Amino acid sequence: MAKKIGRNDPCWCGSGRKYKTCHQAFDEKILRISEEGHIVPDRSMIKTPDQISGIRESAKINIAVLDYIAENIKAGMNTEEINRMVYEKTTRMGGFPAPLNYNGYPKSVCTSLNNQVCHGIPSEKVILKEGDILNVDISTILNGYFSDSSRMFCIGEVSEEKRRLVETARQCIYEGLKEVKPWGFLGDMGQAVHDYAYAHGYTVVREIGGHGVGLEFHEDPWVSYNSTRGTEMLMAPGMIFTIEPMINMGRVEIYIDDSNGWTAYTEDGLPSAQWEVQVLVTEDGYEIISY
Ligand code: MF3
Ligand code: CO
């Protein structure tokens, strides 16, 4: 049981201000919403200004590494080369790749090709060719702070139907972002993503979602993109989570490769696309921390 903070005690957020002039009204508002029956964030999910600036610094590396991959990716390259570039660029900038050794994951990045939904493992045997679509998912640790984002890359000319999938998956992020605001619910964002994807004839993977991120790689809440407006966790200023829906061209079902225990594939073999942003809920909307 946590000790109750007095009105004149220093606020828990580390601002140095008195509780009554800092987060007291905020805490009372969250308590009220919780009493209405909603899921609400606990204090550990509300990042302090110092934590947010640490996470931003981490994200600068994450963004720079993705920019570096964007400049260098090309047909004929294998995904182990991408892994090496990610490791080199991240460590040269003073960071460390969060995937490496995470729960036994063997590489510094996930590279998911065509019908791979996520967690594709880089390999010298996977050679990029014209017409491929590839997700490169990068996560960085800097001074204990985590950042996480991913982008799609089209290798050379890709088919019209793959291009449309990649573009729709990207637009899903913006549709979701429109719903990120304080005192809304994660379900508002999740439904916006879901509805946009299904309106374009696609499906949204159910088993794998987004997550809180910042002090750990994966924190609560777990974030669904098959949720309903007004449900799921309340969004409060200071929360940081990912929007990273996996959009399938065909059926929604996936399976995990049991030879490595990581890589998810579409059951029907059709392509899947995913973009990921890391987003902060602010006092008046949101801010993209990593992309
Ligand atoms: N970067 C992925 C995400 O967006 C997580 C990958 S876990 C790993 O959440 F170990 F495979 F890297
Ligand atoms: Co993520």
Side-chain angles (χ1 to χ4, degrees), residues 9-283:
D9 290 343
C11 187
W12 53 262
C13 80
S15 65
R17 280 155 50 203
K18 287 182 177 169
Y19 183 52
K20 67 181 177 193
T21 61
C22 196
H23 273 91
Q24 185 173 9
F26 173 95
D27 284 352
E28 286 167 359
K29 181 163 183 169
I30 289 183
L31 183 61
R32 244 181 355 257
I33 295 168
S34 137
E35 283 166 355
E36 286 163 11
H38 289 289
I39 306 164
V40 299
D42 64 42
R43 226 169 252 169
S44 71
M45 298 177 207
I46 310 298
K47 270 61 182 177
T48 68
D50 282 351
Q51 291 169 339
I52 292 168
S53 49
I55 297 163
R56 268 191 233 286
E57 290 305 308
S58 173
K60 281 184 192 163
I61 299 178
N62 216 64
I63 294 163
V65 177
L66 269 162
D67 288 346
Y68 180 64
I69 297 304
E71 283 160 24
N72 289 286
I73 195 166
K74 56 174 191 291
M77 180 178 271
N78 68 61
T79 53
E80 175 57 25
E81 291 174 72
I82 294 174
N83 179 59
R84 215 168 305 135
M85 287 193 283
V86 169
Y87 182 84
E88 289 299 325
K89 180 81 179 168
T90 305
T91 52
R92 248 186 282 130
M93 292 186 74
F96 191 81
L100 188 56
N101 303 320
Y102 174 77
N103 292 340
Y105 187 78
K107 299 285 178 175
S108 296
V109 58
C110 298
T111 51
S112 305
L113 188 67
N114 298 328
N115 60 325
Q116 291 181 334
V117 170
C118 66
H119 303 161
I121 302 180
S123 160
E124 278 169 8
K125 292 187 201 132
V126 178
I127 299 166
L128 301 179
K129 58 177 198 311
E130 175 110 2
D132 281 340
I133 60 172
L134 183 76
N135 172 275
V136 178
D137 190 340
I138 295 189
S139 316
T140 301
I141 317 175
L142 177 71
N143 301 325
Y145 295 112
F146 289 76
S147 51
D148 184 10
S149 56
S150 80
R151 302 181 197 165
M152 292 299 293
F153 296 98
C154 293
I155 309 302
E157 287 291 309
V158 306
S159 67
E160 178 59 25
E161 58 169 4
K162 275 181 167 173
R163 196 194 52 74
R164 189 173 160 269
L165 173 69
V166 168
E167 272 318 301
T168 306
R170 185 178 170 97
Q171 190 57 34
C172 280
I173 300 285
Y174 295 108
E175 297 301 318
L177 283 170
K178 287 181 204 165
E179 298 294 338
V180 178
K181 43 178 96 78
W183 319 116
F185 296 92
L186 284 172
D188 306 351
M189 181 280 297
Q191 178 165 359
V193 169
H194 170 277
D195 289 357
Y196 189 83
Y198 279 79
H200 288 75
Y202 301 134
T203 59
V204 182
V205 170
R206 311 190 75 87
E207 300 87 335
I208 309 175
H211 51 94
V213 53
L215 310 184
E216 306 276 357
F217 193 174
H218 295 118
E219 302 171 349
D220 285 342
W222 186 78
V223 180
S224 169
Y225 313 100
N226 286 285
S227 44
T228 312
R229 177 167 284 282
T231 72
E232 304 290 329
M233 191 178 283
L234 174 74
M235 290 184 276
M239 286 172 74
I240 297 183
F241 60 88
T242 66
I243 304 183
E244 52 173 317
M246 285 143 247
I247 310 298
N248 291 354
M249 186 182 284
R251 287 161 43 111
V252 73
E253 290 81 10
I254 61 168
Y255 68 91
I256 307 291
D257 180 347
D258 39 53
S259 75
N260 66 30
W262 281 101
T263 310
Y265 288 82
T266 58
E267 188 81 58
D268 62 10
L270 290 177
S272 183
Q274 178 186 29
W275 297 74
E276 174 178 19
V277 296
Q278 178 175 1
V279 57
L280 166 70
V281 182
T282 62
E283 294 294 337

